[in-house]
Amino acid sequence: MRYRTLTQFLIERERAGRISPDLRLLIETIARACKAISTRVNKGPFGGGYGLAGSENVQGEIQKKLDVLSNEILLEANEWGGNLAALVSEEMEDPRPIPTHYPRGQYLLLFDPLDGSSNIDVNISVGTIFSVLRCPTAPDGTPHEPDEKAFLQPGRNQVAAGFAVYGPTTVLVVTVGDGAWGFTLDRETYTFALTHPDIRIPADTAEFAINASNMRRWEPPVKRYIDECLAGKDGPRGKDFNMRWVASMVADVYRVLSRGGIFMYPRDAKNREGRLRLMYEANPMAFIVEQAGGMATDGSRRILDIQPTSLHQRVGVVLGSKNEVERVAAYHAA
Ligand code: AHG
Ligand code: MN
Ligand code: MN
């Protein structure tokens, strides 16, 4: 079977007028960086990538060597291409404008260079998440200075989003607003091949993902929803549920895209704003999930409609199969 490549897929969209040549090149560049990160991740202990970097990021989280390396790979790949105005990363406090000796483009890139980094040293899937916004312009067309304010746009403004998961295979899921498309890295030709066209998340599911160690801190609607799942056949839902939790959002969301399910990292008494980051975790994943027919909410608001107030803000996340996410939202509304 001959698969279409990511390059073909993007050129078709450019011809159809759905994406600009610059956006196509930007996505190609990100994909190339993901291949490089995938290779580093695959080296395991041999590439010198295991262990701690000896530093903390802006959120006060301990950085792994691979967090820092992946961040550098993405920065280096994206700085000179001429399609970006600035970048934001989980690993950097402030936006990084494109150095003045390179041409400046019209897009803003946000990323989580390595998601699930607590799983690196234990050989469990990790990944990269990215989101693309347009740099705002003044009414006369001059581009806005790509400062923090330029980035603070709701997720519905995203022009593209995606994530790579470095698992038994490396898969890249991309959306440019016409569905969610999955590409597997063919390690013989080193190309991304379209193996999962137009992904659809089933509306119903019997599988949930949540870190149950936070149970005592959950809000009542979350507690009610999970209690009902756990009650199974004998409870109000009248069916048994299964539970999965990888602790790498990329892997958990990829499973939801593959066979349905609900993924939750809700606000709780400890993580009052939630645990996941709005701009480079929740927004891109919400865009992809909606494009695949699913739903994403923080409990009360559609994630993509939240007006961000800071670059690294956190948010509660409930996403996946539509009917289940709707139920959780209804429990919050009640
Ligand atoms: P990151 O490694 O980029 O900081 O993100 C980790 C996130 C996410 O991938 C995952 O869903 C969650 O943290 C896991 O949290 P717990 O350790 O609380 O389960
Ligand atoms: Mn992450
Ligand atoms: Mn990360």
Side-chain angles (χ1 to χ4, degrees):
M1 163 126 187
R2 211 187 147 273
Y3 294 102
R4 275 148 79 211
T5 63
L6 175 68
T7 302
Q8 274 176 290
F9 168 88
L10 292 171
I11 287 177
E12 283 165 16
R13 269 146 192 81
E14 184 189 326
R15 285 191 187 138
R18 169 155 277 286
I19 60 173
S20 68
D22 265 8
L23 184 54
R24 170 170 70 80
L25 286 169
L26 175 57
I27 297 170
E28 293 259 29
T29 306
I30 296 163
R32 199 166 59 239
C34 288
K35 285 184 206 173
I37 298 171
S38 168
T39 302
R40 291 307 305 231
V41 168
N42 260 269
K43 283 186 203 278
F46 305 120
Y50 271 19
L52 305 177
S55 49
E56 284 184 358
N57 68 11
V58 263
Q59 1 255 342
E61 294 163 342
I62 292 164
Q63 286 178 310
K64 296 280 182 71
K65 283 185 188 152
L66 267 176
D67 286 320
V68 176
L69 259 167
S70 306
N71 192 51
E72 281 165 5
I73 289 172
L74 278 157
L75 288 180
E76 210 202 303
N78 279 293
E79 268 181 347
W80 53 270
N83 22 57
L84 284 178
L87 305 103
V88 155
S89 162
E90 179 191 10
E91 307 302 337
M92 307 186 307
E93 182 152 14
D94 299 314
R96 172 178 305 219
I98 294 301
T100 45
H101 52 277
Y102 294 126
R104 239 182 214 186
Q106 59 166 320
Y107 294 105
L108 303 172
L109 175 64
L110 304 96
F111 51 83
D112 175 355
L114 206 64
D115 174 65
S117 47
S118 73
N119 278 328
I120 297 167
D121 300 7
V122 290
N123 203 22
I124 291 174
S125 300
V126 291
T128 298
I129 311 173
F130 70 91
S131 161
V132 183
L133 294 164
R134 226 177 244 116
C135 191
T137 46
D140 68 353
T142 47
H144 193 287
E145 192 47 37
D147 52 11
E148 165 157 15
K149 225 175 128 227
F151 279 88
L152 298 180
Q153 309 178 40
R156 59 171 184 271
N157 286 7
Q158 291 172 102
V159 292
F163 70 92
V165 50
Y166 314 119
T169 60
T170 285
V171 181
L172 179 71
V173 178
V174 173
T175 183
V176 292
D178 69 340
W181 305 75
F183 302 83
T184 305
L185 180 60
D186 177 343
R187 292 203 183 265
E188 264 148 46
T189 57
Y190 221 55
T191 49
F192 278 112
L194 179 56
T195 47
H196 298 72
D198 202 10
I199 299 168
R200 305 306 297 169
I201 302 174
D204 292 298
T205 182
E207 198 164 71
F208 66 89
I210 194 164
N211 182 342
S213 70
N214 294 320
M215 188 178 291
R216 69 185 185 286
R217 307 187 185 106
W218 290 340
E219 293 176 346
V222 173
K223 180 88 172 53
R224 174 182 171 195
Y225 175 77
I226 297 297
D227 279 348
E228 290 180 1
C229 291
L230 294 174
K233 269 204 179 77
D234 312 320
R237 301 298 307 273
K239 67 174 184 181
D240 287 338
F241 281 76
N242 193 13
M243 197 209 79
R244 288 285 182 273
W245 183 253
V246 182
S248 289
M249 188 192 202
V250 284
D252 283 309
V253 171
Y254 187 68
R255 186 187 58 253
V256 168
L257 290 168
S258 303
R259 65 179 187 208
I262 181 167
F263 167 90
M264 309 172 77
Y265 213 125
R267 306 179 284 263
D268 61 37
K270 184 176 145 209
N271 306 291
R272 289 183 183 281
E273 307 296 320
R275 157 97 160 81
L276 299 170
R277 273 57 59 109
L278 174 63
M279 304 222 48
Y280 41 81
E281 291 180 318
N283 271 342
M285 292 308 203
F287 188 18
I288 291 163
V289 163
E290 284 197 5
Q291 286 295 315
M295 215 177 127
T297 170
D298 73 343
S300 39
R301 292 169 298 177
R302 178 185 179 225
I303 297 227
L304 295 182
D305 284 337
I306 296 173
Q307 173 60 50
T309 52
S310 70
L311 286 177
H312 299 285
Q313 87 185 62
R314 295 171 189 264
V315 68
V317 174
V318 178
L319 62 75
S321 292
K322 195 162 179 288
N323 292 340
E324 294 300 311
V325 179
E326 256 169 11
R327 178 181 285 270
V328 176
Y331 289 3
H332 275 91

